[in-house]
């Protein structure tokens, strides 16, 4: 038996690049001061042992590969199935990240319950909670069947043996930062431990055909804690967004090898867990003020789904030498750019005004089609002129003040009609793509000057 020896390796926290010595700049991702020192254990030969999940050791041609449609497992939660691309793919590895208390564990426990009710074997592995704590949280979600098994363990070797023996269809690891292997002489949650644990779970998923969900903590920047290579190793990356003190939750797909990466799912936190929001547009417009200036409704496309949101702007004369600008729910730099365009092209004196822009409902949207809505809200607040409550506007604004075309205009207009809006301000070049929509007045604008003239 080969003896083991310990050594020290430096890892990049951003991309996982490995180096024998500390470096100021990572050669892999070019980031500065990201190397951390961690001890590792290797065999006497210096080679790391890793299993292979390849089906064959010889090259094959495409004609020799039998390609069949992967059977997807429905989670029982339509919003989650939408983000996953239609359901859970067998043998997939999914990473779910989000702030503490956002609802990651609650959502996955609801998925386990729905699968267990259909007699699909599920294994829930927790490294943060005891069995009693999990049961207390599960009691408010409903009744569970015997198809769900619970395990409280952080030793990945024991977890691997258990999963190979039980062979569940779906497994949940909560969380990856608590898992550790004895062969890796570093603390749980470190770069080397997280990378090695994810590699072991990936081998299990591909060899045994187990669909594994991994819960990952996030940093203050909003990314999953650990090396960036973690996101490269998994098949799907989902992020839970929203304020944990509010009732809404947004599940956004960042990476998906089996579906689109621009879909979102909207949830509401209730006493009995997370409930789906079937019509996000109606939900986002709830409580909209009547007859108030600085309030405009616009439409954003999230994947294949049009979502109507309310943009609120407040522009007032500043009491300080330097005006204050603040943007919530959208890009701050984009708001500054649009205000500069309005000041230059329309002559609005915004240089001595404080400006606050907010996307009501807590959702964050950075699509360029929001530009026209932001501009209308700023003009309405600056002139103290309430807009027509049945008006909706969307379009991208260029530096010359022109309103440029956006995609899927027809779907946006139909969504506005469904919620009772009677006027749509759209780019002039998009009118031919929309055609005629009964009950909706289409207003084509070439630039911000046309939009202000209509107001």
């Amino acid at each position: 038996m080969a003896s083991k020896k310990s050594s020290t390796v430096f890892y990049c926290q951003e991309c996982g690049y490995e180096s024998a010595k500390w470096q100021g700049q990572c050669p892999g991702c070019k980031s500065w001061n990201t190397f951390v020192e961690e001890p590792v254990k290797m065999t006497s030969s210096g080679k790391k042992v890793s299993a292979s999940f390849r089906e064959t050791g010889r090259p094959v041609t495409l004609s020799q590969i039998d390609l069949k449609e992967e059977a997807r497992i429905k989670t029982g939660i339509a919003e989650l199935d939408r983000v996953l691309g239609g359901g859970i793919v067998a043998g997939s590895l999914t990473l779910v990240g989000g702030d503490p208390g956002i609802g990651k564990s609650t959502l996955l426990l609801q998925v386990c319950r729905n699968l267990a009710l259909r007699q699909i074997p599920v294994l829930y592995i927790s490294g943060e909670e005891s069995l009693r704590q999990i049961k207390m949280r599960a009691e408010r979600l409903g009744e569970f069947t015997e198809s769900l098994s619970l395990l409280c363990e952080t030793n990945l070797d024991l977890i691997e043996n258990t999963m190979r023996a039980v062979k569940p269809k779906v497994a949940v690891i909560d969380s990856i930062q608590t898992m550790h292997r004895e062969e890796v002489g570093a603390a749980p949650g470190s770069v080397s431990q997280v990378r090695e644990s994810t590699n072991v779970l990936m081998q299990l998923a591909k060899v045994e055909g187990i669909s594994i969900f991994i819960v990952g903590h996030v940093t203050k920047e909003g990314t999953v804690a650990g090396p960036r290579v973690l996101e490269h190793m998994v098949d799907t990356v989902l992020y839970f967004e929203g304020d944990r003190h509010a009732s809404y939750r947004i599940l956004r797909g960042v990476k998906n090898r089996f579906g689109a990466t621009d879909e979102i799912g909207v949830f509401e936190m209730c006493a009995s867990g997370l409930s789906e929001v079937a019509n996000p547009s109606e939900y986002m417009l709830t409580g909209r003020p009547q007859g108030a200036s600085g309030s405009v409704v616009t439409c954003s496309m999230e994947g294949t789904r049009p979502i109507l949101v309310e943009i609120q702007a407040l522009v007032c004369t500043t009491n300080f030498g330097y005006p204050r600008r603040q943007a919530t729910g959208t890009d701050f730099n984009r708001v500054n750019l649009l205000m500069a365009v309005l000041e230059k092209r329309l002559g609005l004196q915004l240089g001595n005004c404080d400006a606050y822009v907010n996307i009501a409902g807590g959702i964050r949207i950075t699509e360029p089609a929001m530009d026209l809505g932001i501009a209308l809200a700023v003009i309405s607040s600056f002139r103290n002129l309430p807009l027509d409550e049945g008006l909706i506007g969307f379009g991208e604004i260029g530096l010359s003040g022109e309103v440029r075309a956006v995609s899927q205009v027809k779907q946006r207009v139909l969504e506005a009609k469904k919620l009772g809006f009677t006027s749509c301000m759209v780019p002039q070049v998009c009118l031919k793509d929309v055609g005629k929509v009964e009950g909706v007045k289409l207003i084509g604008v070439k630039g911000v000057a046309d939009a202000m003239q209509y107001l």
Side-chain angles (χ1 to χ4, degrees), residues 30-221:
K30 306 302 180 182
S31 300
W32 288 92
N33 299 324
T34 57
F35 274 91
V36 293
E37 180 182 7
E38 292 183 0
V40 296
K41 292 182 179 179
M42 297 185 296
T43 61
S44 58
S45 60
K47 296 182 180 180
K48 299 178 181 178
V49 180
S50 176
S52 175
F53 58 85
R54 303 295 184 263
E55 297 179 357
T56 177
R58 57 183 178 81
V60 295
T61 61
L62 289 176
S63 60
Q64 295 176 299
I65 303 175
D66 184 17
L67 181 61
K68 297 181 180 179
E69 183 67 22
E70 289 285 350
R72 293 180 181 263
I73 304 174
K74 297 295 183 179
T75 63
I77 303 177
E79 292 294 301
L80 177 58
D81 289 337
R82 171 195 289 269
V83 179
L84 290 175
I88 305 173
V89 177
S92 61
L93 189 61
T94 303
L95 174 64
V96 181
D99 295 329
I102 201 71
K104 304 183 296 296
S105 301
T106 300
L107 176 65
L108 293 179
L109 196 57
Q110 286 183 237
V111 172
C112 293
R113 176 179 180 270
N114 295 340
L115 297 177
L117 290 176
R118 291 153 46 196
Q119 305 303 317
I120 297 177
V122 183
L123 178 61
Y124 190 97
I125 303 171
S126 176
E128 300 179 345
E129 297 177 295
S130 65
L131 295 177
R132 292 179 178 270
Q133 290 174 322
I134 298 175
K135 185 175 181 179
M136 291 172 58
R137 183 158 49 87
E139 284 182 345
R140 64 186 177 93
L141 301 179
E143 296 184 359
F144 286 75
T145 65
E146 299 298 324
S147 297
L148 173 63
S149 302
L150 302 178
L151 175 65
C152 291
E153 185 57 63
T154 58
N155 191 320
L156 201 59
D157 295 324
L158 298 177
I159 293 175
E160 181 181 3
N161 295 333
T162 302
M163 294 179 66
R164 292 186 185 276
V166 177
K167 294 187 181 299
K169 287 288 186 181
V170 178
V172 176
I173 306 295
D174 188 8
S175 65
I176 190 63
Q177 277 83 8
T178 61
M179 301 294 129
H180 73 279
R181 296 199 72 182
E182 295 181 354
E183 288 80 1
V184 181
S190 59
V191 176
S192 54
Q193 283 284 9
V194 169
R195 186 171 67 169
E196 181 65 21
S197 299
T198 306
N199 182 58
V200 172
L201 295 174
M202 181 180 65
Q203 305 290 342
L204 272 174
K206 305 307 178 184
V207 174
E208 303 294 338
I210 304 173
S211 301
I212 302 178
F213 286 86
I214 300 176
V215 176
H217 298 307
V218 297
T219 62
K220 61 181 180 180
E221 289 82 13

Side-chain angles (χ1 to χ4, degrees), residues 210-288:
I210 304 173
S211 301
I212 302 178
F213 286 86
I214 300 176
V215 176
H217 298 307
V218 297
T219 62
K220 61 181 180 180
E221 289 82 13
T223 59
V224 175
R228 180 65 65 176
V229 71
L230 174 62
E231 297 186 5
H232 299 318
M233 295 172 66
V234 301
D235 298 314
T236 307
V237 180
L238 307 179
Y239 275 102
F240 237 158
E241 303 174 358
D243 186 357
R244 63 175 180 151
H245 301 292
S247 60
Y248 59 84
R249 300 290 189 272
I250 305 295
L251 182 65
R252 189 182 303 273
V254 178
K255 171 188 176 183
N256 193 350
R257 289 174 178 163
F258 314 111
T261 58
D262 51 3
E263 293 285 358
I264 68 168
V266 184
F267 299 87
E268 182 179 6
M269 180 62 78
C270 305
S272 58
L274 289 165
S275 62
E276 304 174 62
V277 179
N279 192 345
S281 298
E282 184 179 3
Y283 176 77
M284 295 296 175
L285 297 180
T286 302
R288 181 186 172 204

Side-chain angles (χ1 to χ4, degrees), residues 293-294 312-316 324 353-358 377-378 381-382:
S293 62
Q312 298 176 333
L314 178 62
V315 180
C316 55
R324 183 179 182 185
C353 294
D354 294 334
Y356 306 89
V357 176
N358 174 49
V378 171
S381 179
F382 181 76

